[in-house]
Amino acid sequence: MSGLAFYLPFIWAFIVILAISVYVILDGFDLGIGMLFAFEKKPEHRDIMINTIAPVWDGNETWMVLGGATLFGVFPGAYSTLLPAFYIPIIIMLGALIFRGVAFEFRIMAHSPNHRAFWNTGFMTGSTLAAFCQGCILGGYVQGVHTSHGAFAGGAMDWLTPFSVLCGLSVVTGYALLGTTWLVWRTSDELEARCRRWSKRLSILMILCIIAVSCWTPFLHAPYLHHWIAFPNILFGLPVPLLVALAGFLMWRTLDKEHAITPFLCAIGWFLLSLVGLAITIWPYAVPPTLTLWDVASPIPSQLFQLVGTVILLPIITGYSIYSYYLFRGKVTKADGYH
Amino acid sequence: MVNDHELPLTIARIQFAFTVGVHIIFPAFSIGLSVFLTFLEGMWLKTNDNRYLNLFKYWLKIFSIVFGMGVVSGIVMAYEFGTNWAGFSAKAGPITGVLLSYEVMTAFFMEAGFLGVMLFGLNRVGRRMHFFATCAVTTGTLISMTWILASNSWMQTPQGYVIDQKTGHFLPHDWLAIIFNPSFPYRITHMGLAAMLSVAFTVAAAGAWHLLKAKKGGTQADSTIRLMFSLSLWMIVITAPLQIIAGDMHGLNTLKYQPAKIAAMEGDWTSETRAPELLFGIPNMKTERTDYAIGIPLLGSFILTHDINGKVPGLKDYPADQRAPAPIVFFSFRIMIALGGLMLLCGLWSLWLRRRQRLFDHPLFLRVILTMAPAGFLALLCGWVTTEVGRQPWTVYGLLRTKDSTSPLALSSLSFSMLFFVAVYLFVFGSGLLMLIRLLRATPEAADNTSDDIMILGSHHHTISQNKDAS
Ligand code: HDD
Ligand code: HEM
Ligand code: HEM
């Protein structure tokens, strides 16, 4: 394989993982806040929770569109096998995201308390279901997809296994934790105190999920196990569990104190470490266990043309996204009410 | 009509048409409305006339809902290429996928990034920064239109690619040729104007409703409403004739690159010179003729070639398996043209009434404008049906057949998703439509002109409860 044909998919895999990670973290706390509507019933608190994300959620969700479009353009072989393979959970996720997305506007515009209650429920259910589907897709992806001649050749329900359900529940837990720790940072008084309590319970659950998924994954396919125990991979792999433990320790310490943003950063750390762990496991497959990155990549001119744009545009996008977060910074109280 | 092994393909096509047809309504609304909002805010900054600010805030609420519905229905589209059209994605992804990625990076992020400022920021940033955000969102919608239409136009008139002999994949080789393909300039002009017209008719209808209501109550609508009505009619006067010219040029271009589509649009079976223009008829794919045809002699050749002796194509020039379903294309095309004609007449009528100073109180005119509310969107959908059905049986014109574009999906999966989408869309977007109508029944409130601290969305509850009391 010539230089570019070898390195470009490598660079692109990195960018795709980056886009997915940013999506998971940013929309993770949006979806988490949606789930918390199940436990937080006070209308003022609900409004504050929504107000912390109203100006930014749309930008957060756009990272998911970027992930999909990048796969489409750069790894069309993966896009065209994975999407049919996860047809059912993707369709349900899209439906759930529709309810979640319109609920932002509809619950405000509702003309009667019943309507408002309905869209609040839609917001909660949509967020939870979307998160669960994303977890199932992730689990189904890790456990592998049946292909033949580069096209999907499995059944419609192949993705549904105990492992993928475990992953679904883990993602739900993780997003809820991102949501509560985000609120610890962005709210005050009673709501903040409740979120600190919730964060503690959720971080215990989260640790259990990470352990369960990590112990199960290496036994899904022989190469996965090999990746982890072979030398020198183990040197890259070993720090991951240690860092997870460190983040847990920090989280626990700071939840009792005045620290505002640290728990949120710890939750992000957990997500990043889990994703890195997964990437190490699966490498170099784009569609495990058969197609590698190089099998599914676009022709070089496509990858190059898109790379030029990405290298120029991603920093600009990051710039104005940060500006938008900065503009709406600080603890949100009722009085702020831009909704 | 549909045999069993074609059923999954048929469902996939209906599903795509349904989801993209719902989606396009919102982007078109967003494109036109954001241009209108930019104009309103600009005028407010320039003249300090608070009526512009009131109108801006009034339509901004509508915009926030429409935009939200555009986003959620658009995300479905971005994934549907892979879920339903895996064959197409695998082969054409290196081209259309890249264009879509550019759309995300140059447009979607920009819209999303500045939407927060536009909706919630007027009390956080200065007037100028806020206006900048409005302009950024508007630019974003226009850039978005540019990329998606480049992609769609490339599928209609492909160039700048080579086909990989082994895999059948499209390999890009000249990106400028791909983007600026022959139908792109026409399509983008036509679509941009369509968005403006659609919104102009919606705004005009809202104005007409308030004018009629005031008239019934024996009062005069306030000057903000009159300003809105007048502005929207100016927009119609300007864009309606431009749209007809753009459509005509678009047709000439299609005749050059997709003559089989023109034959289906016109219901012509044999290629001929001095062809008539059919006003009505029912193309019959079996007997290869158009039944009950009523036409105007020579006009067909004249419209299509600008020469009464011009030669127009016929469907029989093409093998039966390369003909688009003519009846659908024939009717959708005629509905679009008829609506375009009505729009022009509305514009001319408004000019006449303006001169006689009866623009705001001619009951019949107001009622006609009110019924024309959905006309723009209807024409737009008919236009797309013409374009897309007329391209059949190809997804990439002349190169990739629709039946080779599908995903390996079970009939049960497709049926499930079809029912699921119809249920979710009807419910969610139906509710959205009802909310829009309720919002439009409120009048633009008087702005608090003593300060800049305007909590734009803070007034929602207020507006709606006020409205309930009023009605
Ligand atoms: C004429 C313009 C036009 C056309 C033909 C389409 N769209 Fe669109 N689309 C827009 C113009 C637009 C827009 C105005 O730019 C929207 C509305 C709301 C938004 O965010 O951008 C949008 C939204 C939107 C979004 C959500 C973006 C976000 O998260 O902010 C996606 C993923 C798509 N579209 C994808 C598509 C696909 C795959 C299409 C092809 C079938 C398509 N759109 C047709
Ligand atoms: C905006 C409104 C649009 C409408 C109402 C529309 C309508 C349709 C319809 C009716 C079909 C089915 C044709 C048939 O099966 O006979 C179709 C197919 C399709 N269209 Fe569109 N379309 C729109 C925009 C677009 C755009 C912007 C793109 C691409 C960027 C696109 C790509 C496709 C593809 C891939 C198919 C599926 C394959 C096929 O049936 O040809 N469409 N569309
Ligand atoms: C009498 C006036 C009009 C003429 C002569 C005209 C002509 C055309 C033609 C020839 C096409 C097909 C192009 C193709 O097959 O690729 C088309 C498509 C289309 N029309 Fe029109 N049209 C008119 C009015 C309108 C109006 C009023 C609207 C909406 C407000 C509209 C919206 C569209 C759209 C959205 C498409 C599909 C997108 C595209 O291919 O550009 N048209 N029109």
Side-chain angles (χ1 to χ4, degrees):
Chain A
M1 219 177 309
S2 79
L4 274 181
F6 180 75
Y7 286 111
L8 276 175
F10 196 85
I11 298 172
W12 273 112
F14 180 76
I15 298 177
V16 170
I17 294 173
L18 186 78
I20 294 177
S21 310
V22 175
Y23 169 72
V24 162
I25 288 162
L26 296 184
D27 212 26
F29 67 74
D30 296 343
L31 292 167
I33 285 172
M35 295 173 202
L36 294 179
F37 265 45
F39 304 105
E40 180 56 77
K41 299 260 157 54
K42 255 195 184 168
E44 309 90 87
H45 282 178
R46 286 181 163 185
D47 285 348
I48 292 177
M49 285 156 71
I50 290 260
N51 282 348
T52 63
I53 52 173
V56 291
W57 75 274
D58 184 20
N60 296 348
E61 201 178 51
T62 307
W63 288 90
M64 180 175 125
V65 185
L66 179 67
T70 310
L71 272 187
F72 187 12
V74 176
F75 296 120
Y79 183 77
S80 64
T81 40
L82 294 175
L83 268 61
F86 301 116
Y87 193 71
I88 307 276
I90 286 178
I91 301 288
I92 297 177
M93 174 191 78
L94 293 171
L97 286 176
I98 290 180
F99 271 90
R100 184 291 285 257
V102 297
F104 279 94
E105 302 296 337
F106 287 10
R107 62 183 288 284
I108 298 290
M109 311 261 175
H111 63 293
S112 76
N114 275 344
H115 277 225
R116 207 179 155 108
F118 176 85
W119 289 110
N120 281 335
T121 314
F123 186 59
M124 196 263 291
T125 331
S127 304
T128 315
L129 199 58
F132 181 71
C133 289
Q134 289 179 3
C136 289
I137 295 168
L138 183 71
Y141 174 69
V142 173
Q143 88 200 358
V145 169
H146 184 58
T147 62
S148 116
H149 304 290
F152 173 60
M157 300 307 273
D158 285 2
W159 55 276
L160 188 63
T161 61
F163 179 74
S164 67
V165 171
L166 171 67
C167 292
L169 295 175
S170 307
V171 167
V172 169
T173 312
Y175 284 179
L177 177 64
L178 280 173
T180 51
T181 50
W182 163 265
L183 290 174
V184 165
W185 178 31
R186 297 297 309 279
T187 63
S188 50
D189 304 329
E190 192 193 336
L191 183 56
E192 182 192 341
R194 299 192 70 171
C195 288
R196 284 184 188 269
R197 282 199 300 281
W198 283 332
S199 301
K200 283 199 151 178
R201 287 177 215 154
L202 284 166
S203 41
I204 296 176
L205 263 181
M206 177 82 186
I207 281 283
L208 292 178
C209 289
I210 293 182
I211 294 174
V213 174
S214 313
C215 292
W216 199 329
T217 310
F219 300 102
L220 290 170
H221 293 287
Y224 288 1
L225 185 59
H226 185 73
H227 271 171
W228 280 96
I229 53 179
F231 197 80
N233 297 19
I234 197 159
L235 292 184
F236 296 110
L238 209 57
V240 175
L242 292 179
L243 288 171
V244 168
L246 181 68
F249 176 73
L250 258 180
M251 166 89 85
W252 200 259
R253 292 279 313 266
T254 53
L255 272 177
D256 284 330
K257 304 225 175 85
E258 283 297 285
H259 287 260
I261 196 181
T262 324
F264 182 55
L265 294 178
C266 293
I268 293 180
W270 272 346
F271 264 91
L272 288 180
L273 289 167
S274 307
L275 287 167
V276 168
L278 276 179
I280 294 181
T281 311
I282 293 170
W283 192 263
Y285 288 103
V287 183
T290 47
L291 305 175
T292 66
L293 290 171
W294 294 273
D295 293 333
V296 298
S298 291
I300 293 179
S302 300
Q303 296 188 58
L304 263 185
F305 181 63
Q306 193 166 326
L307 191 61
V308 173
T310 307
V311 167
I312 298 173
L313 292 164
L314 269 193
I316 300 177
I317 292 167
T318 312
Y320 57 65
S321 302
I322 291 177
Y323 170 73
S324 179
Y325 272 87
Y326 176 76
L327 193 64
F328 296 99
R329 70 191 174 278
K331 298 248 179 207
V332 174
T333 58
K334 183 70 189 155
D336 271 343
Y338 27 74
H339 232 95
Chain B
M1 242 176 64
V2 178
N3 36 30
D4 272 355
H5 67 277
E6 274 184 9
L7 195 57
L9 172 63
T10 309
I11 298 178
R13 286 166 69 179
I14 294 174
Q15 183 174 321
F16 192 90
F18 175 69
T19 46
V20 75
V22 172
H23 170 61
I24 193 66
I25 294 179
F26 302 119
F29 209 145
S30 306
I31 296 165
L33 195 51
S34 58
V35 171
F36 187 51
L37 285 171
T38 310
F39 171 78
L40 290 174
E41 192 174 11
M43 288 301 284
W44 172 56
L45 290 179
K46 199 171 147 217
T47 62
N48 250 322
D49 180 345
N50 267 312
R51 290 180 307 165
Y52 286 112
L53 178 62
N54 294 343
L55 286 176
F56 177 79
K57 293 199 296 172
Y58 181 70
W59 286 101
L60 188 62
K61 276 175 218 153
I62 311 280
F63 184 74
S64 71
I65 296 194
V66 169
F67 193 89
M69 293 196 280
V71 170
V72 294
S73 60
I75 290 174
V76 174
M77 299 319 304
Y79 282 82
E80 204 167 0
F81 280 121
T83 52
N84 286 13
W85 305 106
F88 166 77
S89 315
K91 296 192 184 86
I95 289 176
T96 51
V98 174
L99 298 179
L100 184 63
S101 303
Y102 267 93
E103 182 178 0
V104 179
M105 292 187 295
T106 56
F108 293 162
F109 274 114
M110 180 146 114
E111 292 166 332
F114 289 96
L115 184 74
V117 185
M118 182 179 175
L119 294 182
F120 310 114
L122 202 45
N123 56 343
R124 294 201 169 222
V125 298
R127 288 181 179 200
R128 274 174 195 287
M129 182 59 209
H130 188 267
F131 184 56
F132 178 79
T134 308
C135 292
V137 171
T138 307
T139 315
T141 62
L142 293 172
I143 296 177
S144 163
M145 171 175 86
T146 309
W147 286 110
I148 198 72
L149 288 183
S151 166
N152 181 276
S153 302
W154 179 82
M155 290 162 64
Q156 303 273 352
T157 49
Q159 68 174 26
Y161 63 88
V162 222
I163 292 186
D164 184 321
Q165 293 304 331
K166 269 211 313 280
T167 57
H169 294 186
F170 292 90
L171 309 182
H173 106 102
D174 179 352
W175 283 103
L176 282 179
I178 289 171
I179 295 168
F180 297 97
N181 61 77
S183 62
F184 171 70
Y186 301 95
R187 213 177 295 282
I188 191 166
T189 316
H190 199 49
M191 177 67 206
L193 287 168
M196 313 277 201
L197 263 177
S198 304
V199 167
F201 272 92
T202 312
V203 176
W209 190 82
H210 285 290
L211 287 167
L212 280 168
K213 191 173 160 215
K215 211 173 164 70
K216 221 166 100 198
T219 54
Q220 248 207 354
D222 66 50
S223 77
T224 313
I225 294 282
R226 291 149 69 103
L227 174 67
M228 169 172 107
F229 189 64
S230 166
L231 285 175
S232 63
L233 281 160
W234 278 125
M235 193 136 127
I236 291 168
V237 168
I238 298 166
T239 43
L242 287 179
Q243 179 69 316
I244 293 179
I245 297 168
D248 176 48
M249 290 169 62
H250 197 343
L252 292 182
N253 184 263
T254 306
L255 176 65
K256 191 159 157 208
Y257 291 94
Q258 298 176 311
K261 186 193 264 182
I262 292 286
M265 278 155 56
E266 294 298 335
D268 288 336
W269 287 92
T270 46
S271 171
E272 57 187 341
T273 54
R274 304 172 71 88
E277 173 68 25
L278 301 186
L279 296 180
F280 182 80
I282 302 180
N284 187 326
M285 300 295 285
K286 285 225 178 62
T287 60
E288 305 197 328
R289 43 175 290 201
T290 296
D291 303 329
Y292 315 108
I294 308 169
I296 302 175
L298 304 184
L299 192 63
S301 283
F302 182 71
I303 290 180
L304 286 173
T305 63
H306 291 189
D307 172 3
I308 53 167
N309 292 314
K311 188 166 161 148
V312 302
L315 278 167
K316 284 193 211 165
D317 300 354
Y318 308 91
D321 73 341
Q322 292 186 19
R323 294 176 194 162
I328 301 177
V329 185
F330 183 86
F331 281 107
S332 61
F333 185 60
R334 268 153 192 74
I335 295 171
M336 172 176 69
I337 306 264
L339 288 170
L342 281 178
M343 292 175 186
L344 180 71
L345 289 180
C346 288
L348 293 175
W349 193 359
S350 79
L351 282 180
W352 169 250
L353 290 177
R354 233 185 253 274
R355 259 198 54 193
R356 309 199 32 207
Q357 314 226 313
R358 295 213 47 203
L359 188 63
F360 302 111
D361 57 9
H362 192 292
L364 182 62
F365 178 67
L366 293 180
R367 244 172 249 130
V368 168
I369 291 291
L370 185 58
T371 29
M372 286 289 278
F377 297 106
L378 209 65
L380 189 148
L381 284 178
C382 285
W384 276 104
V385 169
T386 309
T387 301
E388 303 284 301
V389 179
R391 168 185 67 179
Q392 297 305 312
W394 310 99
T395 27
V396 182
Y397 200 67
L399 300 166
L400 178 64
R401 279 184 185 264
T402 310
K403 70 173 165 46
D404 302 323
S405 304
T406 48
S407 295
L409 290 174
L411 182 58
S412 53
S413 300
L414 274 164
S415 317
F416 159 75
S417 59
M418 184 76 222
L419 292 176
F420 182 77
F421 277 131
V422 170
V424 170
Y425 275 39
L426 287 184
F427 181 76
V428 171
F429 300 125
S431 309
L433 188 67
L434 291 181
M435 274 180 211
L436 287 183
I437 293 175
R438 257 209 338 272
L439 280 178
L440 285 173
R441 286 170 56 174
T443 43
E445 291 169 81
D448 173 6
N449 47 13
T450 52
S451 83
D452 257 4
D453 265 5
I454 300 143
M455 285 175 204
I456 294 185
L457 292 184
S459 53
H460 281 157
H461 297 290
H462 191 53
T463 320
I464 291 160
S465 50
Q466 245 185 6
N467 173 39
K468 249 199 338 224
D469 299 343
S471 52

